[in-house]
Amino acid sequence: MGLKQTVGRQLAPRITDLAPGVTGGFVREALNRAIDGVGPLAPAADAADNQLHEQRGNVERAIHEVIENNVRIAGAQGFATNVGGLVTMAVAIPANVAGLAIIQCRMVAGIAHLRGHDLTDPRVRNAVLATLLGEDQVGELVKKRKLPSTPMAIATAPVHDPTIDGTISATVASDIVARVAGKRLATTVARRVPIVGGVVGMGADGFMTWRIGRYADRELLPRRR
């Protein structure tokens, strides 16, 4: 316990050093790639439509499959980017952050698409990013007036407010890095065993992604196209 607390204190002020490229612009690029597709990952809408077809048009079952599929992908990349332990930390943390951002954006965007939201709409894109913060964080930021409203309200606002684009992007970037490089890495370091670090990373990233998926399912309500 003492080691974990020590690592957390030492790591907190160095998060931006560990992942210096993770900024609001990075998050926007992750969102674009998640929606448009990157590498072996199909575009978010295409993947969601495939699930809708497999589930014979049942939107709720398709959303369940979108969540489950992306939870598995997040777990796999969580294992791969944490299996090296301390030795590969400098390389693994930025890779883990990038992978998690793209996967979670892809999942939430897929859910939004299945619920009838237009992924080309900047209001919907802001809502996707806001959802990545999780229900508790969104609630706190709304109370502090750092976010104008909930993701659903952002997605359905009468007009797009470009002044919140940077705020949402920067907040999401900071939140993802803090979660990956702070809480979960401290646990991995405390274990001191590389393979255990991979297992812990897999479980943490998978669970984190599942929680965000469930929040997106509750928050992003159906909308007529």
Side-chain angles (χ1 to χ4, degrees):
M1 187 67 176
L3 175 62
K4 182 177 178 180
Q5 291 174 340
T6 300
V7 170
R9 285 196 300 269
Q10 292 177 347
L11 191 59
R14 297 185 58 220
I15 287 177
T16 54
D17 294 333
L18 289 168
V22 182
T23 62
F26 165 89
V27 168
R28 286 286 166 179
E29 182 61 25
L31 176 62
N32 292 338
R33 294 191 179 194
I35 291 176
D36 298 337
V38 57
L41 296 178
D46 291 353
D49 285 338
N50 287 339
Q51 290 303 322
L52 185 62
H53 177 72
E54 289 184 13
Q55 300 304 320
R56 300 182 180 181
N58 188 310
V59 172
E60 299 310 310
R61 289 182 181 177
I63 288 174
H64 174 80
E65 290 302 312
V66 166
I67 294 173
E68 292 300 313
N69 288 344
N70 284 286
V71 165
R72 285 193 288 270
I73 297 171
Q77 69 82 36
F79 180 88
T81 53
N82 285 279
V83 72
L86 287 171
V87 177
T88 60
M89 182 175 66
V91 174
I93 289 177
N96 194 184
V97 170
L100 206 56
I102 291 174
I103 292 164
Q104 292 178 351
C105 281
R106 180 174 181 262
M107 174 184 67
V108 176
I111 294 171
H113 171 73
L114 288 172
R115 288 276 167 77
H117 297 270
D118 180 5
L119 296 182
T120 66
D121 189 328
R123 295 171 298 175
V124 174
R125 294 195 172 211
N126 277 339
V128 169
L129 289 181
T131 304
L132 264 60
L133 295 169
E135 188 169 11
D136 293 340
Q137 179 90 334
V138 166
E140 289 181 10
L141 291 174
V142 170
K143 286 182 181 179
K144 295 177 180 178
R145 297 185 178 180
K146 292 184 177 181
L147 274 184
S149 191
T150 62
M152 183 62 190
I154 292 173
T156 57
V159 293
H160 170 232
D161 180 4
T163 63
I164 69 172
D165 293 359
T167 300
I168 292 177
S169 300
T171 304
V172 171
S174 176
D175 185 71
I176 292 177
V177 174
R179 281 184 288 169
V180 170
K183 299 175 184 179
R184 188 171 53 74
L185 185 64
T187 302
T188 302
V189 172
R191 300 299 178 103
R192 296 187 178 185
V193 181
I195 192 68
V196 172
V199 173
V200 173
M202 176 174 64
D205 285 1
F207 180 66
M208 187 188 310
T209 302
W210 177 80
R211 287 191 64 181
I212 291 172
R214 295 300 299 156
Y215 175 45
D217 185 15
R218 296 191 303 272
E219 176 67 22
L220 300 175
L221 302 177
R223 191 178 190 188
R224 183 173 297 178
R225 295 180 187 273

